[in-house]
Amino acid sequence: MLQINNLHARIEEQNILKGVDLTVSAGEVHAIMGPNGSGKSTLASVLAGREEFEVTDGNVLYQGQDLLEMEPDERALEGVFLAFQYPVELPGVSMNNFLRQALNQQREYRGEEPLSAGAFLKRMKACAALVDLDPQLMSRAVNDGFSGGEKKRNEIFQLAMLEPRLAIMDETDSGLDIDALRTVADGVNALRRNDRSFVVITHYQRLLDYIIPDTVHVMVDGRIVRSGGKELALDLEKKGYDWIREETVAV
Amino acid sequence: MPTTETEFLHEVAAGEYKYGWETNVEADTIPKGLDEDVVRLISAKKDEPEWLLAWRLRAWRHWEKLAANPEEKYPRWPHLKYTEPDFRNITYYSSPSKKPRYESLDEVDEDLLETFKRLGIPLAEQEKLAGVAVDAVLDSVSVHTTFKEELAEQGIIFCSFGEAVQEHPELVQKYMGSVVPYTDNFYAALNAAVFSDGSFCYIPKGVRCPMELSTYFRINQAGTGQFERTLIIAEEGSYVSYLEGCTAPMRDENQLHAAVVEIVAEAHAEVKYSTIQNWYPGDNEGRGGVFNFVTKRGICKGDHAKISWTQLETGSAITWKYPSVILKGDRSVGEFYSVAFTKGRQQADTGTKMVHLGKNTKSTIISKGISGGRSNNSYRGLVKINKGAENARNFSQCDSMLLGDRCGAHTFPYIEIKNPSAQVEHEATTSKIGEDQMFYCFQRGIGEEAAIKLIVNGFCKEILAKLPMEFAVEAQKLLDIELEGSVG
C-alpha cells in the first residue's frame, strides 16, 4: 500500500525529515509516536502534498505509484485521506455542499455516476451516527463555529464518507476528552477493512488503548528510530521518550 | 505562495469576457461631439415636450460650467486612476433603427431579437421569461418591454422612459430630478442633458407588483456612450422588486456609461433594487472596457418606507457608484448589499450613502469585495445621521478577500453623526484566500478551480441570497464564469 524510502524534507531552510523509512501493507494500522517536533505531522503533510514542504531526497510509493509526483487533489482522488490536526474553517460553505462536491469529484474520477440526493443523505446520516455527530451540523458551514471535539469528529465523519484506501490521522486525539476519544476510536475501528490502511499519528499512548495498532513506530529527530508491537507504546508511556533518544544517540 | 496556486489565481483573474460580440444592425447614429445642438437634437429625435427640453438645457448649461472648471469638473476623491474621457469624441445618441420608438415587436429587427436571446433575454411573445417583465435597452433606445399589458391591468406602469414622457408626462415631470437633481454631480448633469432612454416604473397605492421588473442594458455601437435614466415610483403601501443587468461588446477604446437611477418610496412602500453589472471590463492589459459612472439614489419619503439595493458588480474597467438611500420618513429602512469582484486591471470604487433624517430610521450595509489580478477594489461609504434623526441605527460590515498578491482592497468609511442618540456599528475585515482553505479542499479531492469557486461563493453567500431567486442562480453562474480560467 505505502512504501516510504529514505524520505528527507525541509521547510524553508530547516531540515525536518531526515531519512524516514516506513512500509504499510493493506489492512494494517500503524501508529507513529514521538516527542513534539520530531517530524510526525510533517510526515503527514508531505504525504498529503502540502506545498510548503520541499522533499529533498527519497521516494514514496503508494499502490505502486510515485506519490510525490501527484498533485494534492489527485492524491485524495486516489484514496489518500488526511484527518487534519487543525481542521480548517470554510465560512459560508455548507458541509452538505462541500462533501457532495468532494464525494462526486471522487466518483467522477473513478468513472461513477454522481450520488443521488437521497442516497447522499442516507449515507451522510449513517456516517454521522458512526461518530455521534449531530446531523444538524451538515447545514452549517464547514467547521465554522464547531467545538474542538466536533471538528475532530467531523474529520472522522468525512473519512467514513469518502472511504479512502490510506487514512492518515494527524493527532486526532489531541484536545479530546475521554468520551469523545472513545467515540472517535470506535468510529475508526468500524472503518477498518482488509483493503484500508491507517497511519495514526499520536503523542500519547491512550488512543492506542482503543485503536489497537499492528505496529508502533517511534520517531525522533526526523527518523523512525524504533518499531515494534503494541507493547512499545506502553513502554513509551512508562518511560517517556528520553531513553529512546539516549539509546539512539548512543548507537 | 511560490507555486501553482498563485499561478492559478492569476489565471483565474485573467478569465475572458463572454458577452464581447457585437450586433451588426443598421443604426441611426448622430455625429460625435457634444454641444447645445446635440442636446436639442436628442430631444427632437425623441419628440419631447418643451418642458423637458428646457430642463435638459438647464442641465447642459450647468454641466458646461462644471466642465470649464478643472477643480470641480471630475470627482477627484475616488481611489481610481484613469484618463478622463474625451467628451468631444463620444457619440451621444445611437438608435438601432430609423425610428426612435418601436410600436410593436414586429418592427424589431431579427438581429436585435437574436441579440437579446443570446444574452438570455428572449423578448418574443411565446418565449418571454415567466414571472419577469423585461425592458430591453440597446444603446440609446428601448427595444421592447414585455408584459406591459398584463401589468397595466393592475395599474402598474412599466415602460421605457421615452414612452413615459409621452404617455405620463405629469408623473415624469413631478418626480424626475427630485431625488438626483442635475446639480448633484458632474455625471448626473451630463446624463440630464443627453439621456436618451431608460426605464420607468410606477406602482399605484397598495399594489404588490406580481412579477419581477427588469431592465437589460446593452451598449452595442462603437464610440457610443450610454446615458439612461431609470425612475421608480412606489406609492403608499406598494411593493416592487426590480432588477437591472448590463453587458457590452469588447472594444479597444473605453466606453462611457453614465446613468441615473431615482427611486421614490412613499409611506409603507418597499422597493428592492437588484443589479447584476457585467459591463465589458477591458482586457488584461487594461485596454478598453466601460467607464461606469452611475448615480443611484432612493428616498424613503414616507414613514415605514423601505429601499434595498443589492448588487453584484463584476464588470466595467472603472466603477464609480454609490447607491444611496435618504431616510426621510420616520422608521424608514435603507439597505445596501454588495458583492464587487474585480480582476485584470479593473478598478472599482463603490459603496453607499445612508442619510438618516427621520426618527428611528435604520440602515444596514454589507459589502463584500473580492479582488484578483492587478485590480483595485475600494469600498467607500457614508453614514450620516442628521440632527432630527432621533434613535437612528446603522450597522456596516465590509469584508475584502484578495485572490493572489498583486491586487488591492481598500475601505473608506465616513461617519457623520449630529444626533447623540445614534447607534452606529462598523466592522471591516480583509483576508487573503487561505492556503489552508485551499489545501483542505484539495485534500478532499476538490480541484483548484472548484475550490476557489467554493470559497468565494461561501464568502458572498449572504449577499447572493438577498437577490430574487431566479437572479441568485444567474448571479452565482456569473460569478463562477468570472472565476473560470478560460471561458468558451
Side-chain angles (χ1 to χ4, degrees), chain A residues 158-221:
Chain A
Q158 292 179 50
L159 194 163
M161 287 294 285
L162 297 173
E163 302 186 300
R165 308 297 299 276
L166 171 65
I168 303 158
M169 292 166 53
D170 189 5
E171 306 217 8
T172 301
D173 52 334
S174 68
L176 288 184
D177 63 36
I178 194 71
D179 293 327
L181 185 75
R182 194 172 291 170
T183 309
V184 163
D186 287 348
V188 170
N189 287 329
L191 294 167
R192 284 176 78 157
R193 272 175 26 182
N194 290 337
D195 59 353
R196 178 175 299 147
S197 311
F198 287 84
V199 173
V200 180
I201 292 169
T202 178
H203 189 74
Y204 302 104
Q205 185 271 337
R206 56 172 199 168
L207 177 65
L208 305 180
D209 286 342
Y210 305 105
I211 301 174
I212 312 290
D214 296 297
T215 311
V216 175
H217 306 274
V218 182
M219 200 160 169
V220 176
D221 192 25

Side-chain angles (χ1 to χ4, degrees), chain B residues 292-363:
Chain B
N292 191 32
F293 299 129
V294 177
T295 309
K296 292 183 167 180
R297 193 174 303 150
I299 181 164
C300 290
K301 246 181 154 169
D303 295 351
H304 293 276
K306 180 176 174 184
I307 295 176
S308 308
W309 299 100
T310 305
Q311 56 175 24
L312 170 62
E313 303 277 315
T314 66
S316 297
I318 310 278
T319 300
W320 177 91
K321 172 179 169 185
Y322 315 90
S324 306
V325 184
I326 300 168
L327 298 151
K328 190 173 170 223
D330 290 347
R331 297 191 183 274
S332 61
V333 176
E335 293 173 336
F336 174 77
Y337 303 111
S338 169
V339 172
F341 178 75
T342 54
K343 61 185 185 179
R345 303 268 178 149
Q346 278 177 275
Q347 303 175 62
D349 193 296
T350 181
T352 184
K353 290 190 273 185
M354 293 291 175
V355 181
H356 293 252
L357 305 178
K359 295 186 184 68
N360 298 302
T361 45
K362 201 175 129 190
S363 63

